[in-house]
Amino acid sequence: MLMKSGTPMSNPEQLDDSEGTPVSVKIRERLKAARHRFHSNDNIADFIEPGELEKLLDEVTVKMQGVLDAMVIDTENDHNTGDTARRVAKMYLKEVFNGRYVKGPSVTEFPNAEHLNELMIVGPITVRSACSHHFCPVIGKIWIGVMPNEHTNVIGLSKYARLAEWIMGRPQIQEEAVVQLADLIQEKTQPDGLAIVMEASHYCMAWRGVKDMDSKMINSVMRGVFLKDPNLRREFLSLIPRKS
Ligand SMILES: [Zn+2]
């Protein structure tokens, strides 16, 4: 597309609607009116109207360009960073933090026709997220243990990965991420018990900070029968091949 004068990056007025209100402000006002939390790991898709995500992309691009300018990077002459603001904005909104801006994956639940009541383990599911403290990558794996009962809904195995991807696609804190995922799976499937273990490398510890390349954070959530029955908990933990 040809621009007559300037690009969206250099012309912030193009971000505003006729009243001059940035789209992020409009979305924020809707969230506040509905008293809906909008922390970094909250999904806000219900408050974004069709077409607004593209405007948000333009707005983040302009602000990201401001960050590069403030870092005294000559994006006009440096061919490597000329399009970096746009690229980073796109990466945040459409890729790595997409789980904030889009509605959850549709998951078809089936009744438990076979009356499955044995421990089922799904994993390892690869997790890609970023910490909300530094926006540094958090990369790891999760294992999900489900103890169904006759009323439990059954969902396809790949759906667990889709749900995990949606939850992890937000700036997260590992402890809160596993709880959010547990709540979501609990709500969709209503099992007797649910266990989740997440093991991840936090690049804010490898790239900066203590610069420890090997440390991993492991945490777990246990619900229902996994809380009450130590044998079941042991069985789950013994079956997940964490060392690999
Ligand atoms: Zn961090």
Side-chain angles (χ1 to χ4, degrees), residues 11-31:
N11 190 356
E13 292 89 73
Q14 286 188 2
L15 305 174
D16 305 342
D17 64 5
S18 47
E19 305 111 59
T21 311
V23 68
S24 70
V25 173
K26 290 203 262 178
I27 296 168
R28 194 186 300 253
E29 277 166 4
R30 281 176 214 140
L31 285 156

Side-chain angles (χ1 to χ4, degrees), residues 222 226-238:
M222 301 283 162
F226 284 95
L227 270 184
K228 293 179 209 128
D229 182 350
N231 289 327
L232 181 65
R233 199 156 63 227
R234 257 195 299 278
E235 186 189 351
F236 169 67
L237 293 172
S238 72

